[in-house]
Amino acid sequence: MKALNTAFEWIAKVAYLNLLWVGFTLLGLVVAGLFPATAATFTVTRKWVTGYTDIPLFKTFWKAFRQSLVQSNILGYLIAGMAYILYLDFLFITVVANNYVMLLTIPFLFVTILYLLTAFYIFPVYVYFDMKVIQVIKSSLFIMVLNPVPTLIMALGMFGITYLLWHFQGLALFFSMSLISIALMMPAKKAFNKIHEKKMHHKSQALVEK
C-alpha cells in the first residue's frame, strides 16, 4: 500500500511539473516562455535525481524560470537556429542537389545525428553547471562523445516517450516535457558523475607523482 501511494504521489508530481511547463510556456507567449520553462523543468528534475525529492515544486520552478529567462532563451534559439540550418540543408539536398543526393546524404545524416545527440545534453548541462552559453554547447558535445552508453539510454528513452505520446496524445498535457526531462537527466547525471570521477582520479594520480 505504501509503494502504491508513493507511485501515485510521483505520478502527481510529474503531471504537475508538466502543467507548470505548459503554463509558463504560455505565460511567455511561447516565444519568450518555452526555453525558460524548459530550463525550469530540468532544474526541478535535477533536484529530484540528486536526492532532493521534497522541494516545493512551484517555488523551485518559478525561481528557475526567472533566473534563466535571458540565458535560456539565447541558448534555446541558438539550438533552434542550428536545427533550422539543418532543415535548409535537408531541403537543399532533396530539392536542389538531385545529382549529388547520395554523396551529400551521408555527411548530412552524420551531422544531424551528432546534433540530436548533443541536444540531449544541452539543458542537463545548462542546469547542472554554471557555464556561458557557448561553453554549454561545447561541453554537451564533449560529454556526449565520451559517454556513449548514457547517450544511447537517452536516445532509447526519447524514442519510448515519443512512441507513447504518439499513440496516447491525450497524455501530452500531463506527461511530455516532464517525462523527457527525467529521461534525459538521469543518464546525464551518470555521465557527469563519470567525468567527475575521472577528474578526481587524475588529480589523485598527479598528487602521488608529486
Side-chain angles (χ1 to χ4, degrees):
M1 195 64 183
K2 185 179 178 181
L4 193 62
N5 287 336
T6 302
F8 280 126
E9 181 183 338
W10 274 105
I11 290 171
K13 280 185 178 182
V14 173
Y16 179 41
L17 178 59
N18 205 77
L19 288 174
L20 287 175
W21 174 73
V22 172
F24 277 82
T25 297
L26 295 176
L27 182 66
L29 303 177
V30 180
V31 175
L34 174 62
F35 298 117
T38 302
T41 302
F42 275 88
T43 298
V44 171
T45 54
R46 175 180 67 85
K47 296 280 188 182
W48 284 349
V49 302
T50 52
Y52 298 95
T53 56
D54 295 324
I55 55 168
L57 255 177
F58 183 86
K59 184 179 178 181
T60 305
F61 191 99
W62 170 235
K63 182 180 179 182
F65 182 88
R66 285 186 291 111
Q67 290 178 341
S68 63
L69 193 59
V70 175
Q71 194 170 16
S72 65
N73 270 314
I74 295 171
L75 179 62
Y77 279 107
L78 268 176
I79 299 304
M82 293 176 191
Y84 184 65
I85 291 170
L86 286 173
Y87 172 69
L88 293 179
D89 289 341
F90 172 76
L91 291 180
F92 176 79
I93 292 171
T94 55
V95 178
V96 179
N98 289 327
N99 295 330
Y100 304 98
V101 64
M102 292 301 296
L103 183 64
L104 297 173
T105 297
I106 294 176
F108 172 77
L109 287 176
F110 175 78
V111 172
T112 301
I113 292 171
L114 195 67
Y115 165 83
L116 290 173
L117 296 179
T118 302
F120 290 162
Y121 284 93
I122 292 293
F123 279 99
V125 169
Y126 173 73
V127 302
Y128 218 92
F129 302 103
D130 183 18
M131 293 180 176
K132 294 181 179 179
V133 168
I134 298 302
Q135 290 176 316
V136 170
I137 297 172
K138 289 180 179 178
S139 296
S140 298
L141 175 61
F142 177 74
I143 294 169
M144 182 274 293
V145 171
L146 290 181
N147 293 275
V149 175
T151 303
L152 177 61
I153 294 171
M154 286 177 168
L156 291 174
M158 286 294 293
F159 175 80
I161 292 169
T162 303
Y163 181 86
L164 178 69
L165 294 178
W166 180 260
H167 286 82
F168 303 97
Q169 296 177 13
L171 293 175
L173 179 63
F174 302 100
F175 304 102
S176 52
M177 184 52 68
S178 57
L179 276 184
I180 288 170
S181 65
I182 293 169
L184 296 182
M185 185 58 74
M186 291 179 72
K189 179 179 177 290
K190 291 185 178 181
F192 301 155
N193 289 344
K194 185 178 176 182
I195 290 173
H196 179 70
E197 288 170 5
K198 283 184 177 180
K199 283 184 178 180
M200 295 302 293
H201 178 68
H202 290 320
K203 283 182 180 179
S204 63
Q205 279 190 328
L207 288 172
V208 170
E209 288 173 2
K210 286 182 181 179

